[in-house]
Coordinates of all heavy atoms in Angstrom, one line a residue:
M1 N -65.3 26.0 147.1 CA -64.3 27.1 146.9 C -64.0 27.7 148.3 O -64.8 27.7 149.2 CB -64.8 28.2 146.0 CG -65.2 27.7 144.6 SD -63.8 27.4 143.6 CE -63.2 29.0 143.2
K2 N -62.8 28.2 148.4 CA -62.4 28.9 149.7 C -61.4 30.0 149.4 O -60.8 30.0 148.3 CB -61.9 27.9 150.7 CG -60.6 27.3 150.3 CD -60.1 26.3 151.3 CE -58.8 25.6 150.8 NZ -58.3 24.6 151.8
H3 N -61.4 30.9 150.4 CA -60.5 32.1 150.2 C -60.0 32.4 151.6 O -60.8 32.6 152.6 CB -61.3 33.3 149.7 CG -60.5 34.6 149.7 ND1 -59.5 34.9 148.7 CD2 -60.5 35.6 150.5 CE1 -59.0 36.0 149.0 NE2 -59.6 36.6 150.1
Q4 N -58.7 32.4 151.8 CA -58.1 32.7 153.1 C -58.4 34.1 153.6 O -58.1 35.1 152.9 CB -56.6 32.4 153.1 CG -56.0 32.6 154.5 CD -54.5 32.2 154.6 OE1 -54.1 31.3 153.9 NE2 -53.8 32.9 155.4
L5 N -58.9 34.2 154.8 CA -59.1 35.5 155.4 C -57.9 35.9 156.3 O -57.5 37.1 156.2 CB -60.4 35.5 156.3 CG -61.7 35.3 155.5 CD1 -62.9 35.2 156.5 CD2 -61.9 36.5 154.6
C6 N -57.5 35.0 157.2 CA -56.4 35.3 158.1 C -55.9 34.1 158.8 O -56.4 33.0 158.6 CB -56.8 36.4 159.1 SG -58.1 35.7 160.2
R7 N -54.8 34.3 159.5 CA -54.3 33.2 160.3 C -55.0 33.2 161.7 O -55.3 34.3 162.2 CB -52.8 33.4 160.6 CG -51.9 33.3 159.3 CD -50.5 33.5 159.6 NE -50.0 32.6 160.6 CZ -49.6 31.3 160.4 NH1 -49.7 30.8 159.2 NH2 -49.2 30.6 161.4
I8 N -55.3 32.1 162.2 CA -56.0 32.0 163.5 C -55.3 32.8 164.6 O -55.9 33.5 165.4 CB -56.2 30.5 163.9 CG1 -57.1 29.8 162.9 CG2 -56.9 30.5 165.3 CD1 -58.4 30.3 162.6
D9 N -53.9 32.6 164.6 CA -53.1 33.3 165.6 C -53.2 34.8 165.5 O -52.9 35.5 166.5 CB -51.6 32.9 165.5 CG -51.4 31.5 165.9 OD1 -52.3 30.9 166.5 OD2 -50.3 31.0 165.6
D10 N -53.7 35.4 164.4 CA -53.8 36.8 164.3 C -55.1 37.4 164.8 O -55.3 38.6 164.9 CB -53.6 37.2 162.8 CG -52.2 37.0 162.3 OD1 -51.3 36.9 163.2 OD2 -52.0 36.8 161.1
I11 N -56.0 36.5 165.1 CA -57.3 37.0 165.6 C -57.2 37.3 167.1 O -56.8 36.5 167.9 CB -58.4 35.9 165.4 CG1 -58.5 35.5 164.0 CG2 -59.8 36.5 165.9 CD1 -59.4 34.3 163.8
P12 N -57.5 38.6 167.5 CA -57.2 39.0 168.9 C -58.3 38.4 169.8 O -59.4 38.0 169.4 CB -57.4 40.5 168.8 CG -58.3 40.8 167.7 CD -58.0 39.7 166.7
E13 N -57.9 38.3 171.1 CA -58.9 37.8 172.1 C -60.0 38.8 172.4 O -61.1 38.5 172.7 CB -58.1 37.5 173.4 CG -57.2 36.3 173.3 CD -57.9 35.0 172.9 OE1 -59.0 34.8 173.4 OE2 -57.4 34.3 172.0
T14 N -59.6 40.1 172.2 CA -60.7 41.2 172.3 C -60.5 42.1 171.1 O -59.4 42.2 170.6 CB -60.5 42.0 173.6 OG1 -59.2 42.6 173.6 CG2 -60.7 41.1 174.9
G15 N -61.6 42.7 170.8 CA -61.6 43.6 169.6 C -61.7 42.8 168.3 O -62.0 41.6 168.4
T16 N -61.3 43.4 167.2 CA -61.4 42.7 165.9 C -60.2 42.9 165.1 O -59.4 43.8 165.4 CB -62.6 43.3 165.1 OG1 -62.3 44.6 164.6 CG2 -63.9 43.3 165.9
L17 N -60.1 42.0 164.1 CA -59.0 42.1 163.1 C -59.7 42.5 161.8 O -60.6 41.8 161.4 CB -58.3 40.8 163.0 CG -57.3 40.7 161.8 CD1 -56.1 41.5 162.2 CD2 -56.9 39.2 161.6
L18 N -59.3 43.6 161.3 CA -59.9 44.1 160.0 C -59.1 43.5 158.8 O -57.9 43.8 158.7 CB -59.9 45.6 160.0 CG -60.9 46.3 159.1 CD1 -62.3 45.8 159.4 CD2 -60.8 47.8 159.3
V19 N -59.7 42.7 158.0 CA -59.0 42.1 156.9 C -59.6 42.5 155.6 O -60.9 42.7 155.5 CB -59.0 40.6 157.0 CG1 -58.4 40.1 158.3 CG2 -60.4 40.0 157.0
P20 N -58.8 42.6 154.5 CA -59.4 43.0 153.2 C -60.2 41.8 152.6 O -59.8 40.6 152.9 CB -58.1 43.2 152.4 CG -57.0 42.6 153.1 CD -57.4 42.5 154.5
F21 N -61.2 42.1 151.9 CA -62.0 41.1 151.3 C -62.6 41.5 150.0 O -63.5 42.3 149.9 CB -63.2 40.8 152.3 CG -64.1 39.7 151.9 CD1 -63.7 38.4 151.9 CD2 -65.4 40.0 151.4 CE1 -64.5 37.4 151.6 CE2 -66.2 38.9 151.0 CZ -65.8 37.6 151.1
F22 N -61.9 41.2 148.9 CA -62.3 41.5 147.5 C -62.6 43.0 147.4 O -63.7 43.3 146.9 CB -63.5 40.6 147.1 CG -63.1 39.1 147.1 CD1 -63.7 38.3 148.1 CD2 -62.3 38.6 146.2 CE1 -63.4 37.0 148.1 CE2 -62.0 37.2 146.2 CZ -62.5 36.4 147.2
G23 N -61.8 43.8 147.8 CA -62.0 45.3 147.7 C -62.8 45.9 148.8 O -63.0 47.1 148.8
R24 N -63.3 45.1 149.7 CA -64.0 45.6 150.9 C -63.3 45.1 152.1 O -62.1 44.6 152.0 CB -65.4 45.0 150.9 CG -66.2 45.6 149.7 CD -67.6 45.1 149.6 NE -68.3 45.6 148.5 CZ -69.5 46.3 148.5 NH1 -70.1 46.5 149.7 NH2 -70.0 46.7 147.4
E25 N -63.9 45.2 153.3 CA -63.3 44.8 154.5 C -64.2 43.9 155.4 O -65.4 44.1 155.3 CB -62.8 46.0 155.4 CG -61.7 46.8 154.7 CD -61.4 48.1 155.5 OE1 -62.3 48.6 156.2 OE2 -60.2 48.4 155.6
V26 N -63.6 43.1 156.2 CA -64.4 42.2 157.1 C -63.7 42.3 158.5 O -62.5 42.3 158.6 CB -64.3 40.8 156.6 CG1 -65.0 39.8 157.6 CG2 -65.0 40.7 155.2
H27 N -64.6 42.4 159.5 CA -64.2 42.3 160.9 C -64.1 40.8 161.3 O -65.2 40.1 161.1 CB -65.1 43.0 161.8 CG -65.0 44.5 161.8 ND1 -64.1 45.2 162.6 CD2 -65.7 45.4 161.2 CE1 -64.2 46.5 162.4 NE2 -65.2 46.7 161.5
V28 N -63.0 40.3 161.7 CA -62.9 39.0 162.2 C -62.6 39.0 163.7 O -61.8 39.8 164.1 CB -61.7 38.2 161.5 CG1 -61.6 36.8 162.1 CG2 -62.0 38.1 160.0
Y29 N -63.4 38.3 164.5 CA -63.2 38.4 165.9 C -63.8 37.1 166.6 O -64.4 36.2 166.0 CB -64.0 39.6 166.4 CG -65.5 39.7 166.0 CD1 -66.5 39.1 166.7 CD2 -65.8 40.3 164.8 CE1 -67.8 39.2 166.3 CE2 -67.1 40.4 164.3 CZ -68.1 39.8 165.1 OH -69.4 39.9 164.7
K30 N -63.5 37.0 167.9 CA -63.9 35.9 168.7 C -65.0 36.4 169.6 O -64.9 37.5 170.2 CB -62.8 35.4 169.6 CG -61.6 34.8 168.7 CD -60.5 34.3 169.6 CE -59.4 33.8 168.8 NZ -58.2 33.4 169.6
V31 N -66.1 35.7 169.7 CA -67.2 36.0 170.5 C -67.9 34.8 171.0 O -68.2 33.9 170.2 CB -68.2 37.0 169.8 CG1 -68.8 36.4 168.6 CG2 -69.3 37.5 170.8
Q32 N -68.2 34.7 172.3 CA -68.8 33.5 172.9 C -68.3 32.2 172.4 O -69.0 31.3 172.0 CB -70.3 33.6 172.6 CG -71.0 34.8 173.2 CD -72.4 35.0 172.8 OE1 -73.0 34.2 172.1 NE2 -73.1 36.0 173.4
G33 N -66.9 32.1 172.3 CA -66.2 30.9 172.0 C -66.2 30.6 170.5 O -65.9 29.5 170.1
R34 N -66.6 31.5 169.7 CA -66.8 31.3 168.3 C -66.1 32.3 167.5 O -66.0 33.5 167.9 CB -68.3 31.3 168.0 CG -68.6 31.0 166.6 CD -70.2 30.9 166.4 NE -70.5 30.6 165.0 CZ -71.7 30.7 164.5 NH1 -72.7 31.1 165.3 NH2 -71.9 30.5 163.2
I35 N -65.6 32.0 166.3 CA -65.0 33.0 165.4 C -66.0 33.4 164.4 O -66.7 32.6 163.8 CB -63.8 32.4 164.7 CG1 -62.7 32.0 165.6 CG2 -63.2 33.4 163.6 CD1 -61.5 31.2 165.0
R36 N -66.2 34.8 164.3 CA -67.1 35.3 163.4 C -66.4 36.2 162.4 O -65.4 36.8 162.7 CB -68.2 36.1 164.1 CG -69.0 35.5 165.2 CD -69.9 34.3 164.8 NE -70.7 34.4 163.6 CZ -72.0 34.4 163.6 NH1 -72.7 34.4 164.7 NH2 -72.7 34.4 162.4
A37 N -67.0 36.4 161.2 CA -66.5 37.3 160.2 C -67.7 38.1 159.7 O -68.6 37.6 159.1 CB -65.8 36.6 159.1
A38 N -67.7 39.4 160.0 CA -68.8 40.3 159.6 C -68.3 41.4 158.7 O -67.2 42.0 158.9 CB -69.4 40.9 160.8
A39 N -69.1 41.6 157.6 CA -68.7 42.7 156.7 C -68.6 44.0 157.4 O -69.5 44.3 158.3 CB -69.8 42.8 155.6
N40 N -67.6 44.8 157.1 CA -67.5 46.2 157.7 C -68.4 47.2 157.0 O -68.0 48.1 156.4 CB -66.0 46.6 157.6 CG -65.7 47.9 158.3 OD1 -66.5 48.3 159.2 ND2 -64.7 48.6 157.9
T41 N -69.7 46.9 157.1 CA -70.7 47.7 156.4 C -71.9 47.8 157.3 O -72.6 46.8 157.6 CB -71.1 46.9 155.1 OG1 -69.9 46.7 154.3 CG2 -72.1 47.8 154.3
C42 N -72.3 49.0 157.6 CA -73.5 49.3 158.4 C -74.7 49.1 157.5 O -74.7 49.3 156.3 CB -73.4 50.7 158.9 SG -74.9 51.3 159.8
L43 N -75.8 48.6 158.2 CA -77.0 48.4 157.5 C -77.9 49.6 157.3 O -79.0 49.5 156.8 CB -77.8 47.3 158.2 CG -77.3 45.8 157.9 CD1 -77.5 45.5 156.5 CD2 -75.9 45.6 158.4
H44 N -77.3 50.8 157.6 CA -78.1 52.0 157.4 C -77.7 52.5 156.0 O -78.4 52.3 155.0 CB -77.7 53.0 158.5 CG -78.4 54.3 158.4 ND1 -77.8 55.5 158.6 CD2 -79.7 54.6 158.0 CE1 -78.7 56.5 158.4 NE2 -79.8 56.0 158.0
F45 N -76.5 53.2 155.9 CA -76.0 53.7 154.6 C -74.7 53.1 154.2 O -74.0 53.7 153.4 CB -76.0 55.2 154.6 CG -77.3 55.8 154.3 CD1 -77.7 57.0 154.9 CD2 -78.1 55.3 153.3 CE1 -78.9 57.6 154.7 CE2 -79.3 56.0 153.0 CZ -79.7 57.1 153.7
G46 N -74.3 52.0 154.9 CA -73.0 51.4 154.5 C -71.8 51.9 155.2 O -70.7 51.6 154.7
G47 N -71.9 52.7 156.2 CA -70.8 53.2 156.9 C -69.9 52.2 157.5 O -70.3 51.0 157.7
P48 N -68.6 52.5 157.8 CA -67.7 51.6 158.4 C -68.0 51.4 159.9 O -68.4 52.3 160.6 CB -66.3 52.2 158.2 CG -66.6 53.7 158.2 CD -68.0 53.8 157.5
L49 N -67.7 50.2 160.4 CA -68.0 49.9 161.8 C -66.7 49.8 162.6 O -65.6 49.5 162.0 CB -68.6 48.5 161.9 CG -69.9 48.4 161.0 CD1 -70.3 46.9 161.0 CD2 -71.0 49.2 161.6
E50 N -66.8 50.1 163.9 CA -65.6 50.0 164.8 C -66.1 49.2 166.0 O -67.3 49.3 166.4 CB -65.0 51.3 165.2 CG -65.9 52.2 166.0 CD -65.3 53.5 166.3 OE1 -64.1 53.7 166.0 OE2 -66.0 54.4 166.8
C51 N -65.2 48.5 166.6 CA -65.5 47.7 167.8 C -65.3 48.7 169.0 O -64.3 49.3 169.2 CB -64.5 46.6 168.0 SG -64.9 45.5 169.4
R52 N -66.5 48.9 169.7 CA -66.5 49.8 170.8 C -67.3 49.3 172.0 O -68.5 49.0 171.7 CB -67.0 51.2 170.4 CG -66.8 52.3 171.4 CD -67.6 53.5 171.0 NE -67.4 54.0 169.6 CZ -68.3 54.8 169.0 NH1 -69.3 55.3 169.6 NH2 -68.0 55.2 167.8
D53 N -66.8 49.1 173.1 CA -67.5 48.6 174.3 C -68.3 47.3 174.0 O -69.4 47.1 174.4 CB -68.5 49.7 174.8 CG -67.8 51.0 175.2 OD1 -66.7 50.9 175.7 OD2 -68.4 52.1 175.0
G54 N -67.6 46.4 173.3 CA -68.2 45.1 173.1 C -69.3 45.1 172.0 O -70.0 44.1 171.8
R55 N -69.4 46.2 171.2 CA -70.4 46.3 170.2 C -69.6 46.7 168.9 O -68.6 47.3 168.9 CB -71.5 47.3 170.5 CG -72.3 46.9 171.7 CD -73.3 48.0 172.0 NE -74.2 47.6 173.1 CZ -75.2 48.2 173.4 NH1 -75.5 49.3 172.9 NH2 -76.0 47.8 174.4
L56 N -70.3 46.5 167.8 CA -69.8 47.0 166.5 C -70.7 48.3 166.2 O -71.9 48.2 166.1 CB -69.9 46.0 165.4 CG -68.8 44.9 165.5 CD1 -69.1 43.8 164.5 CD2 -67.5 45.5 165.2
V57 N -70.0 49.4 166.2 CA -70.7 50.7 166.1 C -70.3 51.4 164.8 O -69.1 51.5 164.4 CB -70.3 51.6 167.3 CG1 -71.0 52.9 167.3 CG2 -70.6 50.9 168.6
C58 N -71.3 51.9 164.1 CA -71.1 52.7 162.9 C -70.4 54.0 163.2 O -70.9 54.8 164.0 CB -72.4 52.8 162.1 SG -72.2 53.7 160.6
Q59 N -69.4 54.3 162.4 CA -68.7 55.6 162.6 C -69.4 56.8 162.0 O -69.1 57.9 162.2 CB -67.3 55.5 162.0 CG -66.5 54.4 162.6 CD -65.1 54.2 162.0 OE1 -64.4 55.2 161.7 NE2 -64.7 53.0 161.7
W60 N -70.4 56.5 161.2 CA -71.2 57.6 160.5 C -72.3 58.2 161.4 O -72.3 59.4 161.7 CB -71.7 57.2 159.2 CG -70.6 57.1 158.1 CD1 -69.3 57.3 158.3 CD2 -70.8 56.7 156.8 NE1 -68.6 57.1 157.1 CE2 -69.5 56.7 156.2 CE3 -71.8 56.3 156.0 CZ2 -69.3 56.4 154.8 CZ3 -71.6 56.0 154.7 CH2 -70.4 56.0 154.1
H61 N -73.3 57.4 161.8 CA -74.4 57.9 162.5 C -74.7 57.1 163.8 O -75.7 57.3 164.4 CB -75.7 57.9 161.6 CG -75.5 58.4 160.2 ND1 -75.5 57.6 159.1 CD2 -75.3 59.6 159.8 CE1 -75.3 58.3 158.0 NE2 -75.1 59.6 158.4
G62 N -73.8 56.2 164.2 CA -73.9 55.6 165.5 C -74.7 54.4 165.7 O -74.9 53.9 166.8
A63 N -75.2 53.8 164.6 CA -75.9 52.5 164.8 C -75.0 51.5 165.4 O -73.8 51.4 165.2 CB -76.5 52.0 163.4
S64 N -75.6 50.6 166.3 CA -74.7 49.6 167.0 C -75.4 48.3 166.8 O -76.6 48.1 166.6 CB -74.5 50.0 168.4 OG -75.7 49.9 169.1
F65 N -74.5 47.3 166.8 CA -74.9 45.9 166.5 C -74.2 44.9 167.4 O -73.1 45.1 167.9 CB -74.4 45.5 165.0 CG -75.0 46.4 164.0 CD1 -74.4 47.6 163.6 CD2 -76.2 46.1 163.3 CE1 -74.9 48.4 162.6 CE2 -76.8 46.9 162.4 CZ -76.1 48.1 162.0
D66 N -75.0 43.9 167.8 CA -74.5 42.8 168.6 C -73.5 42.0 167.8 O -73.9 41.4 166.8 CB -75.6 42.0 169.1 CG -75.2 40.9 170.1 OD1 -74.2 40.2 169.8 OD2 -75.9 40.7 171.1
P67 N -72.2 41.9 168.3 CA -71.2 41.1 167.5 C -71.5 39.6 167.4 O -71.1 39.0 166.5 CB -69.9 41.4 168.2 CG -70.3 41.9 169.5 CD -71.6 42.5 169.5
A68 N -72.3 39.1 168.4 CA -72.5 37.7 168.3 C -73.7 37.3 167.4 O -73.6 36.4 166.5 CB -72.8 37.2 169.8
S69 N -74.8 38.0 167.6 CA -76.0 37.7 166.8 C -76.0 38.5 165.5 O -76.7 38.2 164.5 CB -77.2 38.0 167.6 OG -77.4 39.3 167.8
G70 N -75.4 39.7 165.5 CA -75.4 40.6 164.4 C -76.6 41.5 164.5 O -76.8 42.4 163.6
D71 N -77.5 41.4 165.5 CA -78.7 42.1 165.6 C -78.4 43.6 165.8 O -77.5 44.0 166.5 CB -79.6 41.7 166.7 CG -80.1 40.3 166.5 OD1 -80.2 39.9 165.3 OD2 -80.5 39.6 167.5
R72 N -79.2 44.5 165.1 CA -79.1 45.9 165.4 C -79.6 46.1 166.8 O -80.6 45.6 167.2 CB -80.0 46.6 164.4 CG -80.3 48.1 164.8 CD -81.6 48.5 164.1 NE -82.0 49.8 164.5 CZ -82.9 50.0 165.6 NH1 -83.3 49.0 166.3 NH2 -83.2 51.3 165.9
L73 N -78.8 46.9 167.6 CA -79.2 47.2 168.9 C -79.9 48.6 169.1 O -80.8 48.7 169.8 CB -77.9 47.2 169.8 CG -77.3 45.8 169.9 CD1 -75.9 45.9 170.6 CD2 -78.2 44.8 170.5
K74 N -79.3 49.6 168.4 CA -79.9 50.9 168.3 C -79.4 51.7 167.2 O -78.4 51.3 166.5 CB -79.7 51.6 169.7 CG -78.3 52.0 170.0 CD -78.2 52.8 171.2 CE -76.8 53.3 171.4 NZ -76.6 54.2 172.6
G75 N -80.0 52.8 166.9 CA -79.5 53.7 165.9 C -80.4 53.6 164.6 O -81.4 52.9 164.6
P76 N -79.9 54.3 163.6 CA -80.8 54.5 162.4 C -80.9 53.3 161.5 O -81.7 53.4 160.5 CB -80.2 55.7 161.7 CG -78.8 55.7 162.1 CD -78.8 55.2 163.5
A77 N -80.1 52.3 161.7 CA -80.2 51.1 160.8 C -81.6 50.5 161.0 O -82.2 50.6 162.1 CB -79.1 50.1 161.1
P78 N -82.2 49.9 160.0 CA -83.6 49.4 160.2 C -83.7 48.4 161.3 O -82.9 47.6 161.5 CB -83.9 48.8 158.8 CG -82.9 49.4 157.9 CD -81.7 49.7 158.7
K79 N -84.9 48.5 162.0 CA -85.2 47.5 163.0 C -85.2 46.1 162.3 O -85.7 46.0 161.2 CB -86.5 47.7 163.7 CG -86.5 48.9 164.6 CD -87.8 49.1 165.3 CE -87.8 50.2 166.3 NZ -89.0 50.5 167.0
G80 N -84.6 45.1 163.0 CA -84.6 43.8 162.4 C -83.4 43.5 161.5 O -83.2 42.4 161.0
S81 N -82.6 44.6 161.2 CA -81.5 44.4 160.3 C -80.4 43.7 161.1 O -80.3 43.8 162.3 CB -81.0 45.7 159.7 OG -80.6 46.6 160.7
R82 N -79.5 43.0 160.4 CA -78.4 42.2 161.1 C -77.2 42.4 160.2 O -77.2 42.6 159.0 CB -78.8 40.8 161.1 CG -80.0 40.4 161.9 CD -80.3 38.9 161.9 NE -79.2 38.3 162.7 CZ -78.8 37.0 162.4 NH1 -79.2 36.4 161.4 NH2 -77.9 36.5 163.2
L83 N -76.0 42.3 160.9 CA -74.8 42.3 160.2 C -74.7 41.2 159.2 O -75.4 40.2 159.4 CB -73.6 42.1 161.3 CG -73.4 43.2 162.3 CD1 -72.3 42.8 163.3 CD2 -73.1 44.5 161.7
M84 N -73.9 41.4 158.2 CA -73.7 40.4 157.2 C -72.5 39.5 157.5 O -71.4 40.0 157.5 CB -73.5 41.1 155.8 CG -74.7 41.8 155.3 SD -74.5 42.6 153.7 CE -73.6 44.1 154.3
F85 N -72.8 38.3 157.9 CA -71.8 37.4 158.3 C -71.3 36.5 157.1 O -72.1 36.2 156.3 CB -72.2 36.4 159.4 CG -72.4 37.1 160.7 CD1 -73.7 37.2 161.3 CD2 -71.4 37.6 161.4 CE1 -73.9 37.8 162.5 CE2 -71.5 38.2 162.7 CZ -72.8 38.3 163.2
L86 N -70.0 36.3 157.1 CA -69.5 35.4 156.0 C -69.5 34.0 156.6 O -69.3 33.7 157.8 CB -68.1 35.8 155.7 CG -67.8 36.9 154.7 CD1 -68.3 38.2 155.2 CD2 -66.4 37.0 154.3
S87 N -69.7 33.0 155.7 CA -69.5 31.6 156.1 C -68.0 31.3 156.1 O -67.3 31.6 155.1 CB -70.3 30.7 155.1 OG -69.8 30.9 153.7
T88 N -67.6 30.8 157.2 CA -66.2 30.5 157.4 C -65.9 29.1 157.9 O -66.8 28.4 158.4 CB -65.6 31.5 158.4 OG1 -66.2 31.4 159.6 CG2 -65.7 33.0 157.9
R89 N -64.6 28.7 157.8 CA -64.2 27.4 158.3 C -62.8 27.5 158.7 O -61.9 28.1 158.0 CB -64.4 26.3 157.2 CG -64.1 24.9 157.7 CD -64.3 23.9 156.6 NE -63.3 24.1 155.5 CZ -63.6 23.9 154.3 NH1 -64.8 23.5 153.9 NH2 -62.7 24.1 153.3
V90 N -62.5 26.9 159.8 CA -61.1 26.8 160.3 C -60.4 25.6 159.6 O -60.9 24.5 159.7 CB -61.0 26.7 161.8 CG1 -59.5 26.5 162.3 CG2 -61.6 27.9 162.5
D91 N -59.4 25.9 158.9 CA -58.6 24.8 158.2 C -57.2 24.9 158.7 O -56.4 25.8 158.3 CB -58.6 25.0 156.7 CG -60.0 24.7 156.1 OD1 -60.7 23.8 156.5 OD2 -60.3 25.4 155.2
G92 N -56.9 24.0 159.7 CA -55.5 24.1 160.3 C -55.3 25.4 161.0 O -56.1 25.7 162.0
D93 N -54.4 26.2 160.6 CA -54.1 27.4 161.3 C -54.6 28.7 160.6 O -54.1 29.8 160.9 CB -52.5 27.5 161.6 CG -51.7 27.6 160.3 OD1 -52.3 27.3 159.2 OD2 -50.5 27.8 160.4
V94 N -55.5 28.5 159.7 CA -56.0 29.6 159.0 C -57.6 29.6 159.0 O -58.2 28.6 159.2 CB -55.6 29.7 157.5 CG1 -54.1 29.7 157.4 CG2 -56.1 28.6 156.7
L95 N -58.1 30.8 158.8 CA -59.6 30.9 158.7 C -59.9 31.2 157.3 O -59.4 32.2 156.7 CB -60.1 32.1 159.6 CG -61.6 32.3 159.5 CD1 -62.3 31.2 160.3 CD2 -62.0 33.7 160.2
N96 N -60.8 30.4 156.7 CA -61.1 30.6 155.3 C -62.6 31.0 155.2 O -63.4 30.6 155.9 CB -61.0 29.2 154.5 CG -59.6 28.9 154.2 OD1 -58.8 29.8 153.8 ND2 -59.2 27.7 154.4
Y97 N -62.8 31.9 154.2 CA -64.2 32.1 153.7 C -64.5 31.0 152.8 O -63.7 30.6 151.9 CB -64.2 33.5 153.0 CG -65.5 33.7 152.2 CD1 -66.8 33.6 152.7 CD2 -65.4 33.9 150.8 CE1 -67.9 33.9 151.9 CE2 -66.5 34.1 150.0 CZ -67.7 34.1 150.6 OH -68.9 34.3 149.8
V98 N -65.7 30.3 153.0 CA -66.0 29.2 152.1 C -67.4 29.4 151.5 O -68.3 30.0 152.1 CB -66.0 27.9 152.9 CG1 -64.6 27.5 153.4 CG2 -67.0 28.0 154.1
W99 N -67.5 29.0 150.3 CA -68.8 29.0 149.6 C -68.9 27.9 148.6 O -67.9 27.4 148.1 CB -69.0 30.4 148.9 CG -68.2 30.6 147.7 CD1 -68.6 30.4 146.4 CD2 -66.9 31.0 147.6 NE1 -67.6 30.7 145.5 CE2 -66.5 31.1 146.2 CE3 -65.9 31.4 148.5 CZ2 -65.3 31.5 145.8 CZ3 -64.6 31.8 148.1 CH2 -64.3 31.8 146.7
G100 N -70.2 27.5 148.4 CA -70.4 26.4 147.5 C -69.9 25.1 147.8 O -69.7 24.2 147.0
E101 N -69.7 24.8 149.1 CA -69.2 23.5 149.5 C -70.2 22.7 150.3 O -71.1 23.3 150.9 CB -67.9 23.7 150.4 CG -66.7 24.3 149.6 CD -65.5 24.3 150.5 OE1 -65.5 23.9 151.6 OE2 -64.5 24.8 149.9
Ligands
FES1 S1 -74.4 54.5 157.9 FE1 -74.3 53.5 159.8 S2 -75.7 54.6 161.1 FE2 -75.8 55.6 159.2

């Protein structure tokens, strides 16, 4: 199964593209030559994230995460917590969320 997230051309070279995802949101971005899609959900209390100084930073209490690995860098999110990445695949000129394939 698959679900289209966005067109590849719409993914910015810096920063993120925020796309709707079944009533929630996902940050889609390029990092270290790879396209990633991370849920717009902090691992502390679920606050929304924003891209700031090359990190994904929670707007509620300031937890920050490495956009490449998803690792928590600092802040109140639990040590060892990581961003929730979606499994994705590039199909032609679109990025799809894929599952069960
Ligand atoms: S909800 Fe993100 S740091 Fe608290």
